[in-house]
Amino acid sequence: MKLFRSINRYFRDAGKSVVRNFSLSLASISCITITLIVVALSIVLSYNVEHMAEHVSSNTSIVVFLDEDATENQIEQVKNNLVRIDNVGEVTPKTKEEWAKEVREKDKIISIAIDSWPAGENHLMYSYVVKVKDINEIDNTASIIEKIDNVSYINYGKEYISSVITIFDVIKKVCIGGVVALILVTAFLIANTIKLAIFSRKTEIEIMRLVGASNMAIKVPFIIEGSFIGFIGSIIPIVLTFYGYNALYNFLDGKLFSSSLGELVEPYPFILYTSLILLVIGLLVGMFGSYNAVKKYLKI
Amino acid sequence: MDLIRITDVQKTYKTGTVALYDIDLTISKGDFVFVIGASGSGKSTLIKMLYREEKPDKGSIMIGGINVAKLKNRKVYILRRKIGVVFQDFKLLPKLTVYENVAFAMEVFNYDKKKIHHRVMEVLELVGLKNKARMYPDQLSGGEQQRVVIARAIVNNPKLLICDEPTGNLDPDTSMGIMKVLDDINKMGTTIVMTTHNRDIVNAMKKRVVVLHEGKIVQDYERGKYYEVV
């Protein structure tokens, strides 16, 4: 009964304190809100960049052209050799006819040239479109493929892919570093705001100690109060993430730049996880900030 | 029977100032003791040690069976629950009413609301503030605020009431009113240790007087008067 009364009192006191010290609570809540919005933006940005990088990686392929005179057995043998390579994912055949159809659609002059060939003749090459599992290993994989018998040559836009890899790698590192730095700055900023708010309540803590409150009985209401402030402070960032990202996704139709490169992360469950992260940061930083600030005044 | 037994206590601050040395003092249950001395004589340090705001470097301080000198920081509350403290600067919470300020000290013990209400009204009546229970500290005079502090200090029926210059900020008439309240509390059995500079109060009360000078007890009078000792 006494324990229940204690817990009840801790929550009641924490709630009362938030209201009684409204201006200080508001300062802490605003600080949490602003910093969490920045954290939310950086999470959205970094996760989307990561997603785009993955998208590019998973759609990067090597086109393997076979010798023009390769027999059906040899064509099948090349396929068997390809699937045995570790970094090779999906292997899709592309026949001479499919190539002819594709180039006809793309280029009028080539279309005319193909039409000039005698009926039944096709000088295009049979090929395989090979998807790689790890884009960073594409150069090694390409050199292995080149050595397979009956492979005439390969094409995978070496220059383009290596620059894309480098760009995404840099952006990814910057974003991850940014998110980590922001979370640390957020924690520091919030903890300091709470420290200031609690500093002004030094007398209150002093009196609590004086009248015989145990350290635990002093700390708990402040920790609960900190979590209340963290919770309230995370509401606006969560709402903004929830509705803002949904609106952005719908407005851009899920794509940035072009469909092959800039596909955005689907809103669900991404925004749910992001909201959860924001809530947890708000709660934890609020709680630990308060705990840390109060602890200082209990060392007498 | 002794409530406080101070043996061979010494305290030197980090700055090198020797605040107290060779302090031996015994205070019995139900005593009313004035601790007097010039500024810097060590009386505040001595009083702070009684409620474990300061720790001695050497010696022991026994209060009601607790060795205050060896009390760990996290266990300080055990001592504080047995004592009440009254300060010159009141230390009231401005955002709480008179009632809430006094009840605050009882809520720490997790008493039920009914018991808290009954006891708070009882002590507010004792200090003559029953009709001001709903007011806030800044709506009260200095003397009334000090009465609230006394009410808060005695609400848990402490064995010992420590008063650090409780009349320091009050006019003579109000001060005598506060002393009347403290005397009534003492007559109910609570031991009181009080520091003061107020000559009239010491002379009027005719209680035990302990005199500190440069960190040492130089006089201890059973029924002292200010002019006799300083």
Side-chain angles (χ1 to χ4, degrees):
Chain A
M1 189 64 188
K2 235 179 175 184
L3 180 73
F4 177 72
R5 212 153 45 209
S6 294
I7 294 167
N8 191 29
R9 189 171 67 83
Y10 292 155
F11 275 90
R12 194 195 61 211
D13 287 355
K16 269 189 191 171
S17 287
V18 173
V19 178
R20 267 192 191 127
N21 303 288
F22 184 70
S23 55
L24 288 168
S25 304
L26 194 66
S28 305
I29 290 167
S30 313
C31 173
I32 292 174
T33 300
I34 292 164
T35 43
L36 284 186
I37 288 173
V38 180
V39 169
L41 284 175
S42 58
I43 290 175
V44 166
L45 187 70
S46 62
Y47 204 79
N48 270 293
V49 168
E50 172 91 30
H51 182 73
M52 285 175 201
E54 263 174 27
H55 185 77
V56 170
S57 295
S58 61
N59 283 290
T60 301
S61 47
I62 302 171
V63 183
V64 182
F65 291 95
L66 274 57
D67 293 336
E68 205 183 329
D69 55 358
T71 63
E72 274 187 25
N73 274 345
Q74 286 167 332
I75 289 171
E76 194 56 32
Q77 190 56 46
V78 170
K79 187 181 179 182
N80 293 337
N81 287 331
L82 284 173
V83 294
R84 266 187 233 130
I85 301 169
D86 279 349
N87 194 33
V88 166
E90 199 182 325
V91 178
T92 316
K94 201 162 184 180
T95 60
K96 293 178 177 187
E97 289 70 33
E98 282 168 331
W99 272 118
K101 194 183 167 200
E102 191 178 309
V103 292
R104 261 202 193 103
E105 283 165 6
K106 278 187 181 167
D107 199 308
K108 209 173 177 185
I109 296 169
I110 294 177
S111 172
I112 294 166
I114 290 172
D115 287 342
S116 68
W117 290 342
E121 273 190 34
N122 186 338
H123 300 287
L124 295 172
M125 293 166 162
Y126 191 93
S127 63
Y128 285 112
V129 178
V130 175
K131 285 202 172 165
V132 291
K133 290 174 187 165
D134 181 2
I135 195 170
N136 294 306
E137 290 294 315
I138 197 163
D139 283 345
N140 284 340
T141 312
S143 63
I144 296 168
I145 293 173
E146 267 180 327
K147 287 171 193 154
I148 297 173
D149 286 345
N150 298 303
V151 169
S152 175
Y153 71 96
I154 59 168
N155 185 9
Y156 64 99
K158 191 176 177 180
E159 302 295 310
Y160 162 76
I161 284 173
S162 64
S163 62
V164 166
I165 290 170
T166 314
I167 289 166
F168 275 124
D169 201 40
V170 169
I171 295 175
K172 210 162 90 178
K173 279 177 184 160
V174 167
C175 283
I176 291 169
V179 170
V180 172
L182 265 169
I183 289 173
L184 290 177
V185 169
T186 304
F188 179 75
L189 213 66
I190 296 171
N192 267 306
T193 313
I194 292 174
K195 204 183 266 183
L196 279 175
I198 287 179
F199 173 76
S200 69
R201 290 165 66 189
K202 202 168 76 166
T203 315
E204 190 178 329
I205 297 169
E206 199 184 334
I207 295 168
M208 286 170 98
R209 262 175 78 81
L210 213 58
V211 298
S214 64
N215 287 0
M216 177 70 95
I218 297 170
K219 273 187 248 173
V220 173
F222 276 98
I223 293 169
I224 296 172
E225 191 181 332
S227 66
F228 279 176
I229 285 172
F231 173 73
I232 299 169
S234 62
I235 291 174
I236 294 176
I238 287 173
V239 169
L240 277 181
T241 308
F242 207 86
Y243 291 102
Y245 189 75
N246 251 326
L248 180 80
Y249 189 85
N250 291 333
F251 178 72
L252 296 173
D253 205 16
K255 290 162 200 162
L256 203 65
F257 313 127
S258 76
S259 62
S260 64
L261 192 70
E263 205 166 275
L264 294 172
V265 182
E266 286 202 13
Y268 296 97
F270 170 61
I271 49 175
L272 297 178
Y273 291 141
T274 308
S275 301
L276 190 69
I277 291 170
L278 296 177
L279 181 67
V280 169
I281 294 176
L283 285 175
L284 288 183
V285 172
M287 284 165 76
F288 282 108
S290 296
Y291 170 78
N292 209 34
V294 175
K295 206 174 65 178
K296 201 179 143 191
Y297 300 108
L298 301 176
K299 281 182 181 165
I300 306 155
Chain B
M1 197 180 167
D2 296 341
L3 178 70
I4 303 172
R5 180 176 286 276
I6 300 173
T7 316
D8 196 23
V9 158
Q10 189 169 315
K11 173 74 183 178
T12 307
Y13 285 110
K14 281 177 187 167
T15 52
T17 312
V18 179
L20 292 171
Y21 68 99
D22 290 348
I23 299 289
D24 290 291
L25 181 67
T26 307
I27 295 172
S28 303
K29 270 186 184 167
D31 265 6
F32 194 129
V33 182
F34 285 113
V35 178
I36 64 169
S39 295
S41 59
K43 56 185 189 304
S44 281
T45 305
L46 178 65
I47 216 119
K48 278 180 181 171
M49 282 183 180
L50 294 182
Y51 61 91
R52 187 31 187 81
E53 187 75 10
E54 292 286 352
K55 272 173 111 173
D57 301 328
K58 198 184 130 193
S60 80
I61 301 173
M62 298 297 294
I63 298 178
I66 299 170
N67 189 347
V68 180
K70 287 189 175 166
L71 200 59
K72 283 186 178 155
N73 188 41
R74 62 172 197 280
K75 299 277 182 192
V76 169
Y77 75 95
I78 297 170
L79 168 76
R80 302 266 172 97
R81 288 181 182 191
K82 290 177 190 271
I83 62 176
V85 189
V86 177
F87 297 98
Q88 182 178 0
D89 60 349
F90 314 140
K91 295 196 196 298
L92 288 169
L93 294 171
K95 287 174 183 168
L96 302 190
T97 63
V98 166
Y99 179 90
E100 288 168 333
N101 262 291
V102 179
F104 189 74
M106 282 190 89
E107 282 170 355
V108 163
F109 291 81
N110 289 320
Y111 291 127
D112 65 61
K113 269 188 175 177
K114 220 172 163 184
K115 190 171 181 181
I116 292 176
H117 180 77
H118 178 75
R119 178 62 184 156
V120 170
M121 294 318 285
E122 196 175 70
V123 289
L124 284 178
E125 190 171 11
L126 182 71
V127 298
L129 287 176
K130 199 177 178 182
N131 57 341
K132 299 203 171 173
R134 290 184 177 191
M135 293 177 93
Y136 286 89
D138 60 5
Q139 295 172 307
L140 304 177
S141 68
E144 287 170 333
Q145 288 189 49
Q146 194 58 289
R147 283 166 191 259
V148 180
V149 178
I150 293 170
R152 183 182 67 194
I154 61 164
V155 74
N156 288 318
N157 289 313
K159 291 176 183 170
L160 172 65
L161 185 61
I162 297 165
C163 307
D164 194 2
E165 301 196 28
T167 58
N169 286 336
L170 307 175
D171 62 64
D173 286 347
T174 313
S175 296
M176 288 317 290
I178 293 293
M179 290 316 298
K180 169 83 176 61
V181 173
L182 291 176
D183 198 34
D184 289 344
I185 292 165
N186 178 240
K187 279 176 183 152
M188 284 186 251
T190 308
T191 309
I192 297 179
V193 179
M194 171 176 159
T195 62
T196 185
H197 278 120
N198 193 317
R199 175 189 302 262
D200 297 334
I201 285 174
V202 178
N203 289 342
M205 298 291 287
K206 295 186 177 63
K207 303 287 185 187
R208 183 178 168 193
V209 179
V210 172
V211 188
L212 278 168
H213 181 68
E214 291 181 353
K216 198 172 178 358
I217 294 175
V218 290
Q219 306 275 10
D220 191 344
Y221 288 87
E222 268 311 308
R223 278 179 170 269
K225 278 197 174 182
Y226 208 99
Y227 67 88
E228 289 178 292
V229 293
V230 178

